[in-house]
Amino acid sequence: MKNVSIIGSTGSIGRQTLDIIRKDKSIKVIGLSGNNNLELLERQVLEFKPKYVWSPKITSSCWNNSYVMPQEAIAALSENNLVIISTVGSAGLLSTINAINAKRTIAIANKEVLVMAGSIIIEAAKKQGTTILPIDSEHNAIWQCLIGDCNMHAGSTYGPLKRIILTASGGAFRDLPIERLASVSVDEALAHPTWVMGKKITIDCATLMNKGFEVIEARWLFGIDFSKISVLLHRESIIHGMVEFYDGSYKALLSYPDMHMPIQHVLSYPKRPCSEWKQLDLVALKTLSFSELDVNRYPCFKLALSAGRIDGSMSVALNASNEAAVGLFLDKKICFGMIPKIIEKELSNHQIEYNKNIPSIIELDNEIKSRIRRDYT
Ligand code: MG
């Protein structure tokens, strides 16, 4: 029996994780946490009967027969074999570090946590000897490509790797004339061509901030220099990640674009059970295409890479200003073209600090987000 807690169970990844657990009787749900969707959390609690639950909206100490405790405490429970971090934005940082310090194995979908505090998280994982399993489809694919050639330990250095290739669909606006980009609507930005995901990440895909974050995420997860990470435009989203070796060989992972696939992989690793999710039909697909990314379409991608290279508190400022700007766009307070402008202004005014700890990262994150929200509402 595998005991699993899901931090952020009402979001897109959390719900898909429960879809898999519903069909797999060898997994028991120990803890669930959600943010605002109390109605869905209640349905999940009644169905999966976790011992522990958390939402900021619950004020009692017991709720639907589950004990209420903070999600960062649920993440560190000794009953957990695996903690799924499926929160969005900075919300999962404390739970991630607590789970690692409690020597739990974590599966991480919340890439912002690695953008904000990658070096602290990887150092803590090395010190505690814990494993970080990537759920993000590209990183999960790269990890699968590395199995057999390299041992997967978060923060390891991969000698034989020439480079890692992350594929990018190009998001909702990959074919839109560049002059129309600044004024697209929220609904247009939420129409992703290949993936069905939560709202925040879908906007990050449209700006390509998501891919910039994923380069930073790969840098930390695989302990590899930025110069060895490439991004290729791959419109079909069938190849999720590739690894190139020095002998000229490539390994790639292909599957239908459905997040159930990488989630099932981390839930059942090292086993590989059958699945009922949509299977790939290569003959129907006929072709796979690749092209260079036109970075001039995507100022957020360039901002992410330059902030990621500087690192320190610059990465915290990158994530916080993006989270605030995307929130303002979703609330229709700013136009799409303002997202990179707000981030660029924040980064160019930012006073870099190194060696920050988790409490001071959270403080800086809150300060930047509330200041930007105040300035634009
Ligand atoms: Mg991804």
Side-chain angles (χ1 to χ4, degrees):
M1 196 59 126
K2 194 176 253 181
N3 290 338
V4 172
S5 285
I6 306 171
I7 307 304
S9 65
T10 56
S12 173
I13 298 292
R15 293 195 308 268
Q16 294 180 79
T17 306
L18 289 171
D19 289 343
I20 295 160
I21 295 176
R22 192 172 281 122
K23 296 166 195 279
D24 187 339
K25 300 294 170 230
S26 72
I27 301 174
K28 180 165 172 42
V29 176
I30 295 292
L32 293 176
S33 80
N35 190 18
N36 289 319
N37 193 344
L38 201 61
E39 201 184 309
L40 175 59
L41 186 65
E42 183 162 34
R43 270 187 276 135
Q44 293 177 342
V45 166
L46 293 173
E47 181 181 354
F48 292 95
K49 301 181 177 54
K51 202 164 159 188
Y52 305 97
V53 67
W54 182 84
S55 155
K57 293 191 165 179
I58 306 173
T59 48
S60 55
S61 59
C62 185
W63 189 70
N64 289 304
N65 294 321
S66 298
Y67 297 110
V68 180
M69 67 156 75
Q71 63 180 355
E72 53 272 21
I74 293 176
L77 290 169
S78 60
E79 291 110 305
N80 291 329
N81 303 123
L82 182 66
V83 182
I84 310 282
I85 308 287
S86 50
T87 30
V88 179
S90 57
L93 179 57
L94 216 47
S95 300
T96 304
I97 200 77
N98 274 17
I100 291 171
N101 286 334
K103 300 185 193 298
R104 309 272 75 87
T105 298
I106 67 165
I108 193 158
N110 189 175
K111 66 192 81 184
E112 293 91 339
V113 162
L114 285 161
V115 172
M116 295 170 77
S119 65
I120 298 177
I121 286 166
I122 296 303
E123 276 311 306
K126 275 191 205 166
K127 191 172 155 212
Q128 303 296 349
T130 56
T131 307
I132 302 177
L133 309 177
I135 292 179
D136 202 348
S137 60
E138 295 79 359
H139 305 74
N140 181 270
I142 287 160
W143 171 36
Q144 295 198 48
C145 292
L146 291 172
I147 293 170
D149 280 284
C150 310
N151 293 320
M152 166 74 190
H153 292 295
S156 298
T157 309
Y158 292 100
L161 280 189
K162 190 170 179 190
R163 64 172 174 151
I164 274 174
I165 301 164
L166 304 172
T167 51
S169 69
F173 306 128
R174 59 192 184 184
D175 296 319
L176 199 74
I178 227 163
E179 59 277 8
R180 270 214 56 214
L181 272 176
S183 58
V184 293
S185 71
V186 170
D187 287 342
E188 286 173 300
L190 287 175
H192 195 282
T194 49
W195 290 97
V196 180
M197 301 175 290
K199 283 185 182 177
K200 195 258 175 186
I201 188 172
T202 306
I203 303 301
D204 285 345
C205 287
T207 62
L208 230 73
M209 180 59 89
N210 182 60
K211 207 52 59 179
F213 281 178
E214 288 181 351
V215 171
I216 301 172
E217 186 185 9
R219 182 251 175 280
W220 292 118
L221 281 173
F222 304 112
I224 192 166
D225 190 76
F226 281 103
S227 61
K228 288 185 161 192
I229 308 170
S230 311
V231 175
L232 266 187
L233 192 67
H234 169 52
R235 306 174 75 90
E236 299 82 8
S237 299
I238 297 295
I239 293 185
H240 305 299
M242 283 184 268
V243 173
E244 184 185 358
F245 297 93
Y246 278 108
D247 64 0
S249 306
Y250 281 68
K251 279 194 191 176
L253 186 107
L254 292 75
S255 69
Y256 185 78
D258 178 349
M259 285 308 295
H260 287 101
M261 300 290 288
I263 298 169
Q264 175 162 317
H265 180 252
V266 299
L267 280 173
S268 41
Y269 179 77
K271 292 183 184 153
R272 205 185 266 282
C274 295
S275 86
E276 298 168 19
W277 316 114
K278 185 169 173 178
Q279 304 292 302
L280 196 54
D281 183 345
L282 287 173
V283 176
L285 193 68
K286 290 191 177 65
T287 49
L288 295 175
S289 65
F290 304 96
S291 52
E292 289 288 346
L293 196 66
D294 175 8
V295 290
N296 293 322
R297 291 183 74 81
Y298 304 106
C300 285
F301 179 74
K302 289 203 262 188
L303 289 167
L305 258 54
S306 61
R309 282 198 168 94
I310 295 166
D311 197 36
S313 60
M314 195 58 96
S315 303
V316 183
L318 170 75
N319 180 65
S321 56
N322 180 62
E323 220 174 303
V326 171
L328 288 166
F329 173 67
L330 285 169
D331 291 341
K332 301 186 177 167
K333 307 276 190 216
I334 60 165
C335 68
F336 188 76
M338 276 303 287
I339 297 174
K341 294 203 171 96
I342 289 173
I343 300 164
E344 189 170 18
K345 186 176 163 209
E346 186 64 34
L347 296 183
S348 58
N349 292 333
H350 184 68
Q351 300 285 328
I352 305 165
E353 282 177 77
Y354 289 93
N355 303 317
K356 287 184 88 68
N357 57 20
I358 296 287
S360 68
I361 287 175
I362 292 172
E363 197 185 317
L364 176 62
D365 174 71
N366 286 332
E367 184 242 298
I368 294 171
K369 285 195 282 201
S370 44
R371 177 165 38 73
I372 292 175
R373 266 187 229 121
R374 212 173 38 236
D375 287 354
Y376 291 90
T377 43

